[in-house]
Amino acid sequence: MNKLYCEDLILFSDAMSDSNRVIIITELMSGRALSATWLANRLNLSPQATRFHLKKLEDVELIHHRACGKHRYYEIKNQDTAMFIESTFKIIPPKDCLFLTNANANTKIKFKEARMCYNHLAGSWSVALTQSFINNEFIVKQDNFFIVTEKGKNFFNEHKLLVNVFDTTFVGKRCIDFSEHRDHIGGSLGALLLQSMLQQEWFKQNDNSRELTITPKGRKNLNLLLIYKYEDL
């Protein structure tokens, strides 16, 4: 094993060895950019202690910050980093208290049904939709990616799920869902699909949480997508 890789792995393990840093990561996995002040309040820590934890995570390049006026806003470094973090959750799922504002049974169920995975949909709904899209040949697996077929382009446009997109290739990454242990659609395709669903009010993003709430309109449309059988005209 490469010595440099071993050193990186040790640094990563050290960075994720503190529960406060794990909480920071899970909060940022909502896809939001959060200030150090907001995170300090969430963690109930002093600003100095919060900055210490943020620097540890920046040093191993899990997060980065953007300056906006006098404030710094922190976010997950990029999509690949988010997928790596989500894959570690698959092996060692974070405890409920780390990512649930109200750790009751109803909230846990909702969180497993639909949540943000950085910038795309995760949870049981996402896994079910992905499998339905595969079965209908709207997407095909190609190595670690999902490729949208011509049939898929027509379907997604028909349901206003890829609107105002002029790129001729639609590619999504195969992201493992840590609660379902199966593929869902990540990457640029996953982000576009979720953006369209949010715009159509199929889901509502809850404040200060990765959890997504399914609206009655969304539940109706999602169920229609699951039972949809595409027939060529």
Side-chain angles (χ1 to χ4, degrees):
M1 185 179 288
N2 183 280
K3 183 178 179 181
L4 182 60
Y5 174 81
C6 290
E7 292 175 353
D8 288 341
L9 189 59
I10 291 169
L11 289 172
F12 169 77
S13 300
D14 178 59
M16 295 296 286
S17 65
D18 185 277
S19 61
N20 288 307
R21 293 194 284 274
V22 176
I23 293 173
I24 290 173
I25 288 294
T26 54
E27 292 290 348
L28 294 178
M29 282 292 284
S30 67
R32 296 170 297 162
L34 301 174
S35 69
T37 301
W38 190 98
L39 288 165
N41 291 332
R42 169 71 174 89
L43 298 168
N44 196 25
L45 291 177
S46 68
Q48 294 83 357
T50 303
R51 285 195 293 270
F52 167 79
H53 291 304
L54 289 168
K55 186 176 186 308
K56 292 280 284 189
L57 293 170
E58 279 197 294
D59 287 345
V60 294
E61 299 186 352
L62 290 176
I63 66 173
H64 67 173
H65 72 268
R66 290 182 287 132
C68 185
K70 297 180 179 180
H71 299 283
R72 287 185 173 187
Y73 289 86
Y74 294 82
E75 56 193 354
I76 300 295
K77 185 177 180 182
N78 52 40
Q79 174 70 44
D80 289 336
T81 303
M83 287 186 64
F84 171 72
I85 293 167
E86 192 78 0
S87 69
T88 63
F89 288 170
K90 173 178 176 286
I91 301 169
I92 309 174
K95 299 296 183 182
D96 294 335
C97 63
L98 295 181
F99 54 81
L100 296 175
T101 305
N102 299 306
N104 53 56
N106 188 47
T107 304
K108 294 176 189 177
I109 291 171
K110 288 182 179 179
F111 187 83
K112 290 183 178 181
E113 280 188 332
R115 64 182 180 277
M116 298 284 293
C117 176
Y118 186 53
N119 61 357
H120 59 268
L121 178 65
S124 58
W125 277 105
S126 181
V127 168
L129 286 171
T130 300
Q131 190 58 53
S132 178
F133 295 160
I134 292 171
N135 292 343
N136 280 294
E137 299 180 349
F138 300 148
I139 58 175
V140 294
K141 296 178 184 178
Q142 190 174 102
D143 298 323
N144 292 322
F145 299 93
F146 289 115
I147 309 297
V148 178
T149 64
E150 287 300 320
K151 186 189 293 186
K153 290 177 185 178
N154 294 332
F155 171 81
F156 290 132
N157 284 325
E158 177 185 342
H159 290 273
K160 300 180 181 179
L161 293 175
L162 286 178
V163 295
N164 299 323
V165 178
F166 304 103
D167 190 356
T168 57
T169 58
F170 302 103
V171 179
K173 290 190 176 182
R174 294 176 61 185
C175 186
I176 297 291
D177 194 287
F178 82 78
S179 62
E180 298 296 314
H181 307 285
R182 295 167 61 195
D183 279 344
H184 65 241
I185 303 170
S188 58
L189 175 61
L192 287 169
L193 291 174
L194 179 59
Q195 182 182 9
S196 297
M197 292 176 183
L198 289 170
Q199 287 175 350
Q200 296 185 69
E201 297 183 344
W202 293 12
F203 293 101
K204 290 184 178 179
Q205 186 174 5
N206 297 343
D207 293 336
N208 305 333
S209 172
R210 292 176 64 190
E211 178 192 326
L212 294 169
T213 297
I214 307 171
T215 65
K217 177 184 177 182
R219 192 173 295 275
K220 176 183 177 180
N221 283 284
L222 289 166
N223 279 315
L224 287 174
L225 294 186
L226 290 180
I227 64 174
Y228 190 95
K229 297 297 181 184
Y230 186 92
E231 295 181 2
D232 292 316
L233 298 178

